[in-house]
Amino acid sequence: MERRHQAMRTVAVLLGLSVCAWLMGSPALACDIETPEGYRLDHYRAPTPCELPGARVANNEQMRVLVKDQDAVLIDTTPLVHTTETDFTGRWTVPEPRDNIAGSVWLPNIGYGVLDDEMTGYFADNLERLTGSDPRRPLVFYCFVDCWMSWNAAKRALEFGYPNVVWYPDGTDGWKVIDGPFERATPVPLFEE
């Protein structure tokens, strides 16, 4: 009888640890999505792989540490429609308010699988500005859970030559789970007015 109770306690502890790991955003769970060699080109709101070769993958607790790190650059990659198609100002159309992780910079559309020259320049110029031309500064990319925008953007930053790239796959959804601080976001304009 005692062995049975001990076995039940062990199962309960393991189950509890699994639930805690899931709540903390452990990337080790449910990793059945294959890591592509290139960029994701469509269906950007879909399950993502658990890794990004060359980058660190942060869970919720690791993200808490990164947010407190004065040196880390937090980049929200949530996509938007920009107004250059209508008024040529470079401002982004924000259909509803967006709250991002406190201290973040919002660079929309940098996570598409294919970027034109304008968007490539926007991304590269902002990375240089945000890092103070120090490629070793940590760059943390996020969006939502199951969002390839942050995965693609982090991969592209690696290809730009930034060696200290972090991908936070749980994004703002995971940040809400742990009651992390948010602030109202304003996207960086596409170009200077």
Side-chain angles (χ1 to χ4, degrees):
M1 187 67 138
E2 180 59 33
R3 249 191 253 188
R4 184 170 179 224
H5 288 294
Q6 180 62 31
M8 288 173 59
R9 280 193 294 269
T10 301
V11 168
V13 167
L14 290 174
L15 181 60
L17 289 173
S18 295
V19 169
C20 286
W22 177 78
L23 288 173
M24 289 171 43
S26 172
L29 299 175
C31 290
D32 57 350
I33 306 300
E34 187 173 322
T35 303
E37 289 191 30
Y39 294 100
R40 176 71 173 231
L41 300 175
D42 58 13
H43 305 295
Y44 296 103
R45 285 303 306 270
T48 56
C50 294
E51 66 176 3
L52 174 54
R56 290 182 289 150
V57 179
N59 64 26
N60 286 340
E61 290 309 310
Q62 293 162 333
M63 190 62 179
R64 276 191 202 272
V65 172
L66 287 163
V67 167
K68 290 179 185 174
D69 180 358
Q70 298 290 319
D71 200 38
V73 179
L74 310 175
I75 301 172
D76 182 355
T77 65
T78 303
L80 286 174
V81 172
H82 59 82
T83 62
T84 56
E85 297 160 359
T86 56
D87 69 6
F88 305 101
T89 64
R91 290 186 304 262
W92 298 95
T93 300
V94 182
E96 60 185 51
R98 166 94 171 132
D99 290 336
N100 62 20
I101 297 169
S104 297
V105 175
W106 188 6
L107 298 178
N109 298 12
I110 60 173
Y112 282 110
V114 175
L115 298 183
D116 62 19
D117 291 343
E118 182 177 57
M119 283 306 302
T120 300
Y122 170 78
F123 189 16
D125 292 347
N126 276 291
L127 288 184
E128 186 171 336
R129 176 182 62 81
L130 292 167
T131 61
S133 299
D134 179 2
R136 295 178 312 262
R137 282 192 70 187
L139 295 170
V140 182
F141 294 91
Y142 71 89
C143 185
F144 302 99
V145 73
D146 293 337
C147 178
W148 283 85
M149 288 288 182
S150 57
W151 191 93
N152 279 348
K155 179 177 177 62
R156 188 166 279 117
L158 288 165
E159 291 180 359
F160 283 170
Y162 291 88
N164 199 358
V165 172
V166 180
W167 174 48
Y168 178 45
D170 289 338
T172 51
D173 297 317
W175 199 240
K176 284 177 191 168
V177 167
I178 60 170
D179 294 321
F182 285 89
E183 64 186 12
R184 186 55 39 102
T186 302
V188 174
L190 189 58
F191 48 81
E192 298 294 325
E193 293 184 47

